[in-house]
């Protein structure tokens, strides 16, 4: 074929134009996809935080022009982490999707729903007047979701609300204030909605800080267990009570009184409790193999006891570590027993039938009688340290404590005394007939390695202590 320059140029130009068009189009598609990824949450198919901010940038000026009041709700799930931890991330993802759908159906057409964090959602209501009803409906929707994964994980929502334009005129301010208000809901045990109020600041959110501390301790293995020996009348170690601590780089070792209430209120106790049981059963296995024939004692909070499969969980931890149930004592408080007596009674019976022993901790802190315990399966009572400090001088304390020992023995329970700080208290408690003794005078809570050394001592130093206490008197 003869070479025709004008045809070649024509073909080349068409090819160039086509490539250019294709490149632009590809770029556009790529940009659209990128934008979608940037503003969109793939899991729930909702706008993410920046998507919400972008939407608000359009909605807010329009609402201002129309003199319209909007409500922004910040929703955070309480106790969601357990779903992930107990059932895996896939179950967690499925749960979040369900939550998103359930919240969506409670909203009106023009309202906006976004997922702004792991377990955090935000809602923009076009009609601020409906906020109370919508919040109640969302709380109910989330509560109803607890059954999706497991009946024992109590998932609730903490909601905070800020109003446009009254509280803030831009997306960031509205989100921040609703988030602060949400933290107040969390502070008050969750499952509630709190409207933002002037004066709500970030400074009084100790609960939020504690929650963050527990969570990060669980993540970075900064939780640890110390063990306090409990000795029998001969001075031999009969039990090692496990007491949990959080190690903080700045604050040092943080005792449970500082974080247990918050763990209970927020449902974190389930995760924390599971961690503790695993750690203690692992330690019991090591000690059992080394020839220790005593028990390990684990404190259990009321919320843990109320989980319908608590007994199965505990027996599972024991089996995992190949530790016989007879090596475990669980300590519960009267509060733990009496909040849901029927359910808790059944759980305790199941555990006890398997060989686990049940001890009633802090006896005398609230009630000083055993009669209201009825048929609860109990093996021992532990008299609260607030009575022990009054021994031996205080006549009223002596009477109360010795009656407690008598009543316990009549019912076939062992009597344990905690908080022994002086030799005279140890003597008095021995004379009153207590079976087991615990307190700083006997031994402080020990790091696991130190506890192992004490257990390994041929001549147990604690035996000597009992003897010394005896001679001093
Ligand atoms: P508790 O079970 O009654 O434990 C006894 C507490 O008294 C421990 O405090 C222990 O360190 C302290 N103590 C020991 N000897 C003496 C003494 O001679 N004098 C005085 N004044 N105190 C003594 P801790 O470790 O701070 O624990 C406080 C409470 O936190 C425990 O009281 C228990 O109710 C709870 N707790 C501890 N560990 C756990 C846990 O793993 N799970 C749960 N649910 N609660 C726990
Ligand atoms: Mg205890
Ligand atoms: Mg106690």
């Amino acid at each position: 074929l003869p070479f025709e320059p004008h045809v070649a140029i024509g073909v080349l130009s068409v090819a160039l134009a086509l490539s250019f068009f294709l490149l632009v189009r590809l770029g556009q598609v790529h940009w659209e996809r990128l934008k979608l990824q940037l503003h969109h949450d793939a899991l729930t198919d909702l706008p993410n935080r920046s998507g919400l901010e972008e939407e608000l940038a359009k909605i807010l000026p329009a609402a201002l022009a129309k003199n319209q009041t909007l409500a922004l709700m910040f929703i955070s799930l309480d106790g969601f982490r357990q779903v992930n931890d107990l059932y895996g991330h896939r179950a967690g993802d499925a749960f979040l999707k369900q939550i998103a759908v359930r919240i969506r159906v409670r909203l009106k057409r023009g309202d906006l729903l976004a997922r702004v964090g792991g377990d955090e959602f935000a809602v923009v209501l076009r009609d601020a007047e409906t906020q109370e009803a919508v919040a109640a409906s969302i709380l109910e929707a989330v509560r109803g979701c607890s059954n999706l994964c497991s009946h024992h994980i109590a998932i609730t929502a903490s909601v905070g609300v800020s109003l446009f334009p009254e509280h803030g005129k831009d997306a960031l301010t509205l989100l921040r204030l609703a988030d602060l208000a949400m933290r107040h809901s969390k502070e008050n045990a969750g499952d509630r909605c709190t409207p933002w109020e002037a004066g709500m600041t970030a400074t009084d959110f100790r609960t939020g800080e504690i929650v963050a501390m527990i969570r990060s301790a669980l993540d970075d293995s900064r939780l640890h267990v110390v063990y306090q020996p409990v000795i029998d009348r001969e001075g031999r170690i009969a039990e090692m009570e496990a007491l949990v601590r959080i190690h903080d780089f700045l604050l040092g070792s943080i005792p449970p009184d500082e974080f247990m209430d918050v763990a209970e209120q927020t449902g974190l106790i389930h995760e924390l409790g599971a961690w503790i049981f695993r750690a203690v059963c692992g330690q019991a296995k090591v000690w059992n193999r080394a020839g220790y024939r005593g028990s390990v004692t684990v404190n259990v909070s009321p919320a843990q006891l109320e989980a319908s499969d608590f007994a199965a969980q505990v027996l599972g931890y024991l089996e995992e570590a190949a530790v016989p149930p007879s090596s475990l004592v669980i300590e519960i408080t009267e509060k733990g027993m009496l909040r849901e007596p029927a359910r808790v009674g059944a759980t305790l019976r199941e555990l006890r039938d398997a060989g686990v022993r049940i001890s009633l901790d802090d006896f005398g802190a609230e009630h000083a009688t055993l009669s209201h315990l009825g048929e609860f399966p109990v093996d021992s009572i532990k008299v609260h340290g607030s009575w022990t400090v009054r021994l031996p001088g205080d006549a009223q304390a002596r009477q109360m404590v010795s009656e407690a020992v008598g009543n316990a023995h009549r019912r076939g329970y062992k009597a344990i005394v905690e908080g022994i700080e002086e030799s005279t208290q140890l003597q008095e408690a021995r004379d009153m007939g207590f079976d087991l003794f615990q307190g700083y005078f006997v031994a402080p809570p020990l790091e696991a390695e130190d506890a192992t050394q004490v257990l390994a001592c041929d001549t147990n130093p604690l035996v000597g202590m009992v003897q010394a206490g005896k001679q001093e008197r």
Side-chain angles (χ1 to χ4, degrees):
L1 271 167
F3 178 70
E4 301 235 8
H6 63 277
V7 174
I9 290 170
V11 170
L12 208 65
S13 329
V14 171
L16 268 176
L18 261 176
S19 325
F20 181 72
F21 173 76
L22 269 175
L23 273 176
V24 169
R25 187 71 204 116
L26 273 176
Q28 265 176 350
V29 170
H30 182 66
W31 170 241
E32 288 299 328
R33 200 179 297 148
L34 201 70
K35 210 169 123 191
L36 196 70
Q37 278 170 8
L38 283 176
H39 297 301
H40 177 253
D41 171 50
L43 178 71
T44 54
D45 208 20
L46 293 173
N48 60 16
R49 195 177 189 111
S50 66
L52 174 71
E53 284 168 16
E54 198 191 48
E55 288 290 325
L56 282 172
K58 289 182 227 153
I59 296 172
L60 298 183
L64 199 62
K66 281 192 254 166
N67 221 355
Q68 197 181 2
T69 301
L70 305 180
L72 187 134
M73 288 180 167
F74 198 103
I75 305 163
S76 166
L77 303 181
D78 311 315
F80 169 73
R81 256 183 70 114
Q82 293 166 67
V83 179
N84 267 343
D85 290 346
L86 292 176
Y87 299 95
H89 285 268
R90 280 175 71 171
D93 286 354
F95 188 82
L96 287 172
K97 273 190 193 172
Q98 280 283 351
I99 291 272
V101 172
R102 285 182 176 227
I103 296 179
R104 178 72 257 178
V105 297
R106 312 254 167 163
L107 303 178
K108 288 215 184 99
R109 237 164 159 247
D111 296 340
L112 191 68
L113 174 64
R115 181 172 171 226
V116 293
D119 57 2
E120 290 167 346
F121 295 85
V123 165
V124 181
L125 298 181
R126 301 269 182 179
D127 180 3
E129 298 273 276
T130 60
Q131 57 159 307
E132 262 181 50
V134 175
S137 166
I138 289 174
L139 292 175
E140 187 199 65
V142 173
R143 238 180 279 126
C145 262
S146 295
N147 300 330
L148 294 176
C149 264
S150 152
H151 39 275
H152 78 261
I153 297 186
I155 305 283
T156 53
S158 289
V159 182
V161 187
S162 61
L163 296 179
F164 169 86
E166 192 183 328
H167 299 151
K169 293 198 173 59
D170 62 281
L172 288 183
T173 309
L174 290 168
L175 272 165
R176 188 173 55 81
L177 299 185
D179 186 347
L180 279 181
M182 176 280 288
R183 283 158 199 254
H184 268 264
S185 293
K186 272 225 194 293
E187 175 119 319
N188 290 302
D191 196 19
R192 70 189 58 225
C193 173
T194 311
W196 184 80
E197 278 170 22
M200 266 186 190
T201 60
T203 49
D204 47 16
F205 294 126
R206 214 168 133 58
T207 300
E209 286 160 27
I210 294 171
V211 167
M213 180 179 79
I214 301 174
R215 289 213 164 118
S216 74
L218 277 162
D219 289 344
D220 319 340
S221 353
R222 281 187 295 106
L223 277 174
H224 76 289
V225 179
V226 289
Y227 295 87
Q228 186 171 32
V230 180
I231 57 172
D232 64 16
R233 292 182 64 85
E234 275 66 54
R236 287 181 304 248
I237 297 176
E239 293 178 16
M240 281 288 197
E241 180 173 9
L243 298 162
V244 69
R245 302 279 181 269
I246 288 182
H247 181 77
D248 185 274
F249 297 113
L250 289 176
L251 305 174
S253 188
I254 301 170
D257 284 341
E258 302 239 340
F259 57 84
M260 271 302 168
D261 283 352
V262 173
E264 271 253 327
Q265 286 160 16
T266 54
L268 269 173
I269 187 65
H270 298 286
E271 204 176 323
L272 197 61
W275 186 93
I276 293 162
F277 267 110
R278 287 216 170 87
V280 175
C281 289
Q283 188 59 62
K285 179 183 183 173
V286 174
W287 286 340
N288 281 2
R289 285 198 177 155
Y292 170 56
R293 292 288 158 259
S295 333
V296 285
T297 305
V298 177
N299 291 281
V300 171
S301 302
Q304 284 174 280
L305 277 176
E306 286 161 18
S308 57
D309 63 346
F310 178 72
Q313 280 180 41
V314 172
L315 298 176
Y317 301 129
L318 288 166
E319 204 179 312
E320 240 170 69
V323 169
S326 57
S327 296
L328 178 69
V329 177
I330 65 164
E331 272 187 15
I332 57 184
T333 54
E334 281 167 346
K335 206 167 102 203
M337 279 185 162
L338 300 175
R339 220 159 65 172
E340 289 245 19
R343 181 160 358 152
V344 171
T347 299
L348 295 180
R349 264 187 294 279
E350 192 181 337
L351 281 169
R352 198 151 174 265
D353 289 346
V356 175
R357 274 162 296 150
I358 318 289
S359 187
L360 179 63
D361 202 358
D362 298 341
F363 177 77
E366 282 182 36
H367 300 90
T369 71
L370 289 167
S371 51
H372 64 291
L373 296 182
E375 293 307 305
F376 267 111
V378 168
D379 295 277
S380 51
I381 60 157
K382 190 182 267 189
V383 172
H384 192 240
S386 59
W387 291 99
T388 317
V389 287
R390 293 164 62 182
L391 297 178
D394 183 327
Q396 192 206 355
R398 282 170 66 176
Q399 190 189 347
M400 170 331 205
V401 174
S402 73
E403 269 173 24
V405 177
N407 286 336
H409 284 164
R410 262 192 294 285
R411 286 175 158 244
Y413 307 160
K414 284 203 162 159
I416 312 176
V417 56
E418 68 176 14
I420 294 196
E421 294 180 358
E422 291 166 17
S423 63
T424 48
Q425 290 165 351
L426 180 61
Q427 267 319 306
E428 179 75 13
R430 270 177 65 87
D431 293 350
M432 283 176 171
F434 274 100
D435 304 285
L436 299 170
F437 311 85
Q438 178 180 16
Y440 298 149
F441 178 73
V442 174
L446 304 166
E447 294 298 332
E449 312 84 76
D450 298 333
T452 305
Q453 284 196 4
V454 172
L455 284 175
C457 274
D458 275 347
T459 48
N460 191 327
L462 306 178
V463 175
M465 215 172 279
V466 172
Q467 302 303 329
K470 223 184 248 173
Q471 279 154 20
E472 254 174 55
R473 201 174 149 91

